[in-house]
Amino acid sequence: MPDNYLVTGSRGGSTPHVTSSQARNFHAGIVGGDRYVMDGFKCTVSSANTVHIGPGVACFCGADVEVPPGGADLTIENGAQGMKRNDIVALRYSSGSTEEVTLVVIKGTPNASSPTDPSYNDGDIRDGDSPVDMPLWRIPLNGISVGSPEQMFRKINPLGASYTTLWEGSFGSGSITVPGLSDYHLIIVEGRTRSMLGVVGPNYVNSVMGMTTSTNGQVRIYGAAFTRSGDRLSYGTGFDIVDCRGNSSDVSIVSSSEPVTRIIGLI
């Protein structure tokens, strides 16, 4: 009798035949084999020592992961006066007699000026690696104060969507990680009042300049420029919007360095 390679079909009897490994390989073939958030996982600072992770769905190296309604609260260890620290909130896969994914906080090393992210467990669940971490949020601490969470995950949209939201928030200074940015050549950069096409270069992201009319005889010009290192984006001039009538004496700044609110990957 020839071998039967069918996975999603009855083979008779009562023994389950669809394994977690087979399901992961199938999902990874559709979605991709990396780590993706499909929906949710919003992070909010609840108190000086607690962050709340909202409900969400993720594809973790092909594995389906869900934090149910109600989410979860995680404890952040106290910071120290005069020191800075980066902690990472992550999903952690582990296997033994059973397989499980839990939410963990990976504590960083305090530093007086320039803290770095703590190391985490890389690898691929499909290769049998354990534990494996999926970073979700960076939690910056300055002294005993907990700062605004910074997104570290890559979000993937449904197959029917023609774009992928790489990052959402408010980016007006410093640097952010835009997961998956280096995979794209063209992106859309959205601000509070403007959006524009961006070109991803080897160490920069520059926009294609936009132009609109404002008052009679006056043209409104806007553009954006950022520096880039891998998936790390630093705020350069950001959004600059000016009104002009054709000579330098008639230039007036309307909005300088408007914060970015969303970055969308195109191709």
Side-chain angles (χ1 to χ4, degrees), residues 206-222:
N206 287 343
S207 73
V208 177
M209 185 180 69
M211 184 179 296
T212 60
T213 58
S214 51
T215 58
N216 290 336
Q218 188 163 281
V219 174
R220 179 162 290 176
I221 300 172
Y222 53 94

Side-chain angles (χ1 to χ4, degrees), residues 7 29 50 56 61 93-94 121 151-152 219 226 247:
V7 174
T50 307
C61 300
Y93 166 88
S94 59
N121 301 298
Q151 177 183 320
M152 298 183 71
V219 174
F226 309 90
N247 68 65

Side-chain angles (χ1 to χ4, degrees), residues 167-172 188-197 207 222-224 226 235 238-241 255 257-264:
W167 178 89
E168 289 182 287
S170 182
F171 173 38
I188 292 176
V189 181
E190 292 186 352
R192 190 172 52 250
T193 63
R194 292 289 185 272
S195 64
M196 61 188 67
L197 185 67
S207 73
Y222 53 94
F226 309 90
Y235 206 82
F239 275 102
D240 277 340
I241 305 171
S255 177
S257 299
E258 178 179 309
V260 174
T261 57
R262 185 162 69 144
I263 297 174
I264 299 169

Side-chain angles (χ1 to χ4, degrees), residues 71-89:
D73 291 320
L74 300 173
T75 299
I76 304 297
E77 289 191 29
N78 287 331
Q81 292 284 2
M83 302 295 284
K84 298 179 179 180
R85 193 180 84 219
N86 288 344
D87 290 358
I88 290 178
V89 172

Side-chain angles (χ1 to χ4, degrees), residues 99-127:
E99 298 177 283
E100 66 176 12
V101 171
T102 57
L103 279 166
V104 299
V105 177
I106 305 171
K107 183 181 176 181
T109 301
N111 185 284
S113 57
S114 301
T116 58
D117 291 342
S119 60
Y120 57 88
N121 301 298
D122 207 353
D124 193 327
I125 295 172
R126 295 173 298 153
D127 291 337

Side-chain angles (χ1 to χ4, degrees), residues 41-47 50-54 76 85-89 136-141 145-153 167-171 175-177 232:
F41 288 102
K42 182 179 180 181
C43 181
T44 54
V45 178
S46 303
S47 69
T50 307
V51 295
H52 180 78
I53 302 297
I76 304 297
R85 193 180 84 219
N86 288 344
D87 290 358
I88 290 178
V89 172
L136 296 174
W137 296 93
R138 178 184 297 107
I139 310 296
L141 286 87
S145 299
V146 178
S148 298
E150 301 172 7
Q151 177 183 320
M152 298 183 71
F153 60 80
W167 178 89
E168 289 182 287
S170 182
F171 173 38
S175 300
I176 58 170
T177 298
R232 195 72 177 165

